[in-house]
Amino acid sequence: MWNRGISVLYSAKEIEDRIREMAAEINAMYAGKPLVLLCVLKGAFMFFSDLAKRITVHPEIDFVRLSSYGNCDNSSGVISFTKDIEITIINKHVLVVEDIVDTGATMDFLCRQLKARGVASLRIAALMDKKERRAFPVKVDFVGFKVPCGFVVGYGLDYAEKYRELPELCLMNVRD
Ligand code: IMP
């Protein structure tokens, strides 16, 4: 414990090692295919950057931003684009890169939207999977870490827009 209410869940080294393994799986899956790597802002920005550096198939890169959680740890239940894709994805293989899949509401919404645009294939790479709270039938194809219930901050993930800069993934006691 190095800060009140926050403890390290995965170190920077553990994250780096896991991302190297994930990238190898992704490179094997998409060898010879036109890939679009799609970053879900803001939470996935560090994961996306570190993962993209290890992708060898020269993907096109784009970003979306969705409103889902707002400034608290409870889902608002209403999801919408606050920034849409700018490149064409029709007939392309799209890999959505997300920080954490919790209830699955966000990925369910995004995947429906992307499928309707005629992608060749659609998969999800998530740094963390909080499967216990899943309420939507979302399959995460590439999982970094399976995490238990609890609120995670750091390595891009925030609590009220703070802690994104931490190089580790940390568990937060939101009652502190
Ligand atoms: P879902 O729609 O319930 O799957 O929630 C997914 C989104 O909620 C993620 O993209 C995060 O922005 C946010 N989220 C879910 N769990 C956490 C967490 O433990 N820490 C920070 N953000 C989270």
Side-chain angles (χ1 to χ4, degrees):
M1 191 77 75
W2 49 270
N3 198 350
R4 190 168 182 261
I6 294 180
S7 55
V8 174
L9 186 61
Y10 292 105
S11 68
K13 175 74 170 66
E14 286 171 311
I15 298 167
E16 185 190 332
D17 290 347
R18 186 68 193 109
I19 289 177
R20 191 178 296 114
E21 292 170 354
M22 293 177 82
E25 283 178 52
I26 293 166
N27 287 327
M29 170 75 75
Y30 292 102
K33 293 180 183 162
L35 175 64
V36 174
L37 216 48
L38 188 62
C39 175
V40 185
L41 295 170
K42 297 183 190 174
F45 84 96
M46 277 200 197
F47 172 45
F48 184 84
S49 168
D50 288 341
L51 182 69
K53 282 181 259 184
R54 298 189 176 281
I55 299 300
T56 54
V57 298
H58 301 301
E60 290 181 80
I61 285 177
D62 207 348
F63 303 84
V64 288
R65 189 160 179 221
L66 302 161
S67 66
S68 55
Y69 264 55
N71 274 353
C72 66
D73 59 320
N74 293 312
S75 175
S76 67
V78 179
I79 298 163
S80 61
F81 281 99
T82 55
K83 188 213 166 295
D84 206 337
I85 304 176
E86 289 167 28
I87 62 174
T88 307
I89 56 168
I90 190 163
N91 294 332
K92 292 178 185 170
H93 300 278
V94 176
L95 179 63
V96 175
V97 180
E98 170 70 311
D99 54 357
I100 185 165
V101 181
D102 185 8
T103 66
T106 308
M107 284 301 97
D108 181 67
F109 169 84
L110 182 60
C111 290
R112 282 173 194 272
Q113 297 284 329
L114 299 179
K115 278 180 187 159
R117 299 178 194 186
V119 294
S121 75
L122 185 62
R123 291 188 178 87
I124 299 170
L127 182 59
M128 287 172 289
D129 192 359
K130 226 193 256 181
K131 218 170 181 179
E132 283 169 36
R133 283 175 34 99
R134 196 62 42 78
F136 292 79
V138 170
K139 177 175 168 256
V140 183
D141 302 278
F142 304 96
V143 179
F145 303 105
K146 290 177 184 161
V147 294
C149 287
F151 204 77
V152 183
V153 295
Y155 197 69
L157 287 89
D158 74 310
Y159 178 73
E161 293 301 333
K162 290 190 171 180
Y163 308 108
R164 292 192 198 275
E165 80 288 356
L166 299 176
E168 305 90 3
L169 285 167
C170 302
L171 260 185
M172 175 175 225
N173 181 354
V174 291
R175 283 174 200 84
D176 270 11

